[in-house]
Amino acid sequence: MKIMEPNAVHDFYGGVITGTAVKTGVKRLRDMIGAYKEAGEAEDLDRVMYEVYSFENGDPAQAGNLNWGLTVMYPELVGGECNFTRGHVHADQSCAEIYFGLDGQGLLLFMDQDGGTWAEKVRRGSLHYIDGRWAHRLVNTGDGVLKVGACWPVTAGHDYQWVEDHPFPVRVFKKNGEIICI
Ligand code: 6PG
Ligand code: NI
């Protein structure tokens, strides 16, 4: 039997996924500034807020295939508000997702189709089930980098418009080191 290295060289805990099938996205503050409540005028818009690596396996049209990825979020504050992902619901709401905490401290915000909102704490070793009908957003509440792995069906897609039309009713701030959800 031939024993091979993983077909993508990956080191989740080190925050690295490489390989020919990896796509990387970078979100800078300029891409997110409108979403923050109290952004000041002197913000550095070049700040990298988060990076998303996704390893896309096999035929993307083949239902049942899975992608997996890694989100790396920096401990940035904007007007005291903790760094958060854009957030989305899956375009195909029959597609669920699993998140797993790898490093750092965060919150995973959920919102159901009726606007019901709740959160789970994310930390190294935590595992989170996301129903396909639930909008999901990560927030870095820690003082270090938050790294979260994910696995989702290749056919899930992302519906960002839904979250823009139904904004999360909760914001997470850090004031004097204390996390405040408003
Ligand atoms: C997905 C995952 C995940 C997510 C990132 C960035 O469905 O692909 O939920 O990879 O895309 O954490 O979050 P946003 O896509 O909301 O910016
Ligand atoms: Ni998702």
Side-chain angles (χ1 to χ4, degrees), residues 7 9 40 47 50 57-58 64 77-79 100 133 159 168 179-180:
N7 73 346
V9 178
R47 278 200 264 174
Y50 62 96
N57 290 292
L77 297 175
V78 180
F100 36 104
R133 294 163 299 180
D159 182 349
F168 280 87
I179 298 303
I180 299 163

Side-chain angles (χ1 to χ4, degrees), residues 88 90 97 99 136 152 158:
H88 61 271
H90 291 158
E97 180 165 14
Y99 274 12
H136 42 291
W152 67 97
H158 301 84

Side-chain angles (χ1 to χ4, degrees), residues 7-86:
N7 73 346
V9 178
H10 53 275
D11 169 8
F12 270 138
Y13 292 113
V16 179
I17 303 179
T18 58
T20 50
V22 172
K23 286 191 181 164
T24 307
V26 178
K27 278 274 186 297
R28 294 179 188 275
L29 182 54
R30 73 165 41 78
D31 307 314
M32 294 292 296
I33 189 85
Y36 283 92
K37 188 151 196 281
E38 295 171 18
E41 287 185 1
E43 301 286 356
D44 173 6
L45 297 177
D46 273 339
R47 278 200 264 174
V48 174
M49 304 302 284
Y50 62 96
E51 293 154 355
V52 182
Y53 304 84
S54 46
F55 187 90
E56 303 191 345
N57 290 292
D59 179 355
Q62 175 66 54
N65 281 352
L66 296 171
N67 290 333
W68 48 266
L70 173 71
T71 301
V72 177
M73 302 186 73
Y74 296 97
E76 299 285 346
L77 297 175
V78 180
E81 191 169 356
C82 296
N83 182 10
F84 58 86
T85 58
R86 195 172 166 194

